[in-house]
Amino acid sequence: MAMKALTKATIYQVAQVAGVSIATVSRALRDSDLVTQQTREKVLAAARELQFTPSRLGRSLAEGRHAANGIVFPDLVGPYYAEVVLGYEAAAAGFGSSVLILATRGRADAEAAVRDMASRVDGLTVMGQSVSDEFIAKLAATGLPIVLLSRDPVPGVDTVRPQNQRTAEALVEHLLEHGHRRFVFLGDPDVAPDFAGRYAGTQAGLARAGVAPADLVRAHGFDLDAGRAAARGLDADAVICANDELALGVLLERPTQIVTGWDDLLAARFAGLTTVRQPMRELGATAARWLNRRITESSDKPAAPRRRVLPTRLVVRSSCGIHSPEVHR
Amino acid sequence: MAMKALTKATIYQVAQVAGVSIATVSRALRDSDLVTQQTREKVLAAARELQFTPSRLGRSLAEGRHAANGIVFPDLVGPYYAEVVLGYEAAAAGFGSSVLILATRGRADAEAAVRDMASRVDGLTVMGQSVSDEFIAKLAATGLPIVLLSRDPVPGVDTVRPQNQRTAEALVEHLLEHGHRRFVFLGDPDVAPDFAGRYAGTQAGLARAGVAPADLVRAHGFDLDAGRAAARGLDADAVICANDELALGVLLERPTQIVTGWDDLLAARFAGLTTVRQPMRELGATAARWLNRRITESSDKPAAPRRRVLPTRLVVRSSCGIHSPEVHR
DNA sequence: TTGAAAGCGATACCAC
DNA sequence: GTGGTATCGCTTTCAA
């Protein structure tokens, strides 16, 4: 019933109170059946009395592992990244790994920040356009397990991403069926690999149908306001947006404009926005699982780098034009 | 130009290569002007050659601090928590602190998980109903700096939260002006302190106006589906929902039902949902700043516990009834 | 079964 | 200015 422990207890104190060595305390507090039941109880009692919690630092230093991993993303703006991170955290928690997050948001010292994170974890997931390929390669050369997420592959590194190109082509096909012919692609392909894929798919689909390529309008940013700002100058049958927020911004300014988005945010449903649904949680979870595999695999015979493209799916609502008898919810 | 360093270099190797002691390496790599320019350069060269990055573990162990802090939340479902976490991360990054995240999502071992996190950080922010007050108190007694976020205060601990009660009263007033008299409150006050505050404010507002109290309908969960499921049995002039997702769910089932939400999600705008806007990023950022203050303050004369309620604001759209000439966007 | 002691990788005090 | 070394808190041989 001691009221001490206002200053974190160490294994030494527990050992002292229990009247054993620190080695024995360590054993008693973990698996180890090299301890008498009696001894174990003494130790546990002492530990409880002192409110002892082993220091992660000491533990990690001795074990040579952090039991933590990190996820780096460009920014968390919008629900998209958040969902991915969520899926990631859930999976990581599943195998007992803590998770660190880092938003680079265009910071000049992004690489330093990532390097710092790298020294706190057993492995890293890098999402989107947060740091350069060269930097990734350098990090990977260190031996640090890395998984790339929603980002173009780097040689030797695992990559998970959503299907962009092919689904963009399907989207274009659908718009063509509506009879639309003059297209604008709204969004900057350089801002995110996902955007680039959607843009490429758009143009590919158009080319295959023998239709003139879409005009590229690089919005300033990729949120609602960027969409609103860009909306004014638009002139096209249909505006294919790089994501939902841009599309919703356009819709706010021009409610009758034919437009499509990407991500299937909750708002898309209420705006009647035709868009593409992505398995966001699953993207995060897959990255976490793959990373864990890398971390735990024997480093002498590493498995070949994996690539996976998770399927996405066209969600047709009303913003792409009128459909006869269908219900759009 | 060495191609080594496939295995993380230590300060000892750098010392060896540079031909100096580890103490000197440590000095050269940090501030310290107790090093010759010449020596410093030797050391830096060696460090670069070995791609040396100091181990956080060694560093933290020696310095007695993690330079990291964590945020615990019940779950990240919905955009609400994500925004808060975002604001938190940004602020934390601002003063050079890494951030760990932990979603308890009703896990039975939530306390163990939080305890684990506690051993990895210099301080903790606890959001919502993730762990018990008793546990918080115990943790705080350890001397671990803690800030509570969107959660009822615990003696001796800082608390930041959004205005719930008062704004709920304002919301009720508005609904009364519309002429509505029979109310339902949809959502479980026990599931989150925020919900409890909104519920209390609702009843208080009603009572003050001499109107019959709202029927409490405890939805099973607090997402869209929970709202849809609950919608069928509803019978009231107006349904005051604990959050936007519930309200949107109701709207999906009964588009003409008078209903209000809370959070002002992006979707609310497109659904014409009357709701309440909260400073989510600011909530997170404030928590991070306060925590940092606690961590860095001298522990012998700690400041008195702080409480702050961040203002929220009613956002009137069309779901609460028709308004004459106003535009609801 | 238990204990003594050698690390793990830094920081910082104390001499020189 | 630099070097030697104690220290942080734990895990894990190696002996006993």
Side-chain angles (χ1 to χ4, degrees), chain A residues 238-250:
Chain A
V239 179
I240 300 174
C241 298
N243 71 7
D244 277 356
E245 293 201 64
L246 286 169
L248 292 168
V250 170

Side-chain angles (χ1 to χ4, degrees), chain A residues 185-202:
Chain A
F185 184 93
L186 178 62
D188 192 340
D190 295 334
V191 89
D194 279 338
F195 290 4
R198 294 164 199 174
Y199 178 63
T202 298

Side-chain angles (χ1 to χ4, degrees), chain A residues 1 13 23 81 112 120 131 133 173 176 206 214 235 250 258 282:
Chain A
M1 273 303 82
Q13 336 225 34
Y81 291 111
R120 299 172 172 277
V131 288
D133 280 6
E173 268 175 45
L176 288 170
L206 254 20
D235 173 35
V250 170
I258 297 293
E282 192 51 30

Side-chain angles (χ1 to χ4, degrees), chain A residues 145-186:
Chain A
I146 297 184
V147 169
L148 265 26
L149 180 51
S150 296
R151 167 177 185 123
D152 290 332
V154 168
V157 182
D158 293 343
T159 306
V160 188
R161 44 193 174 156
Q163 178 62 265
N164 283 311
Q165 179 130 0
R166 185 133 29 165
T167 307
E169 292 179 38
L171 173 60
V172 165
E173 268 175 45
H174 181 83
L175 290 169
L176 288 170
E177 284 169 14
H178 269 290
H180 309 310
R181 286 297 176 272
R182 293 165 47 246
F183 296 91
V184 156
F185 184 93
L186 178 62

Side-chain angles (χ1 to χ4, degrees), chain A residues 281-299:
Chain A
R281 312 280 271 235
E282 192 51 30
L283 279 166
T286 302
R289 279 193 297 263
W290 283 21
L291 185 55
N292 188 240
R293 217 170 41 88
R294 283 288 174 209
I295 291 172
T296 51
E297 82 183 345
S298 65
S299 54

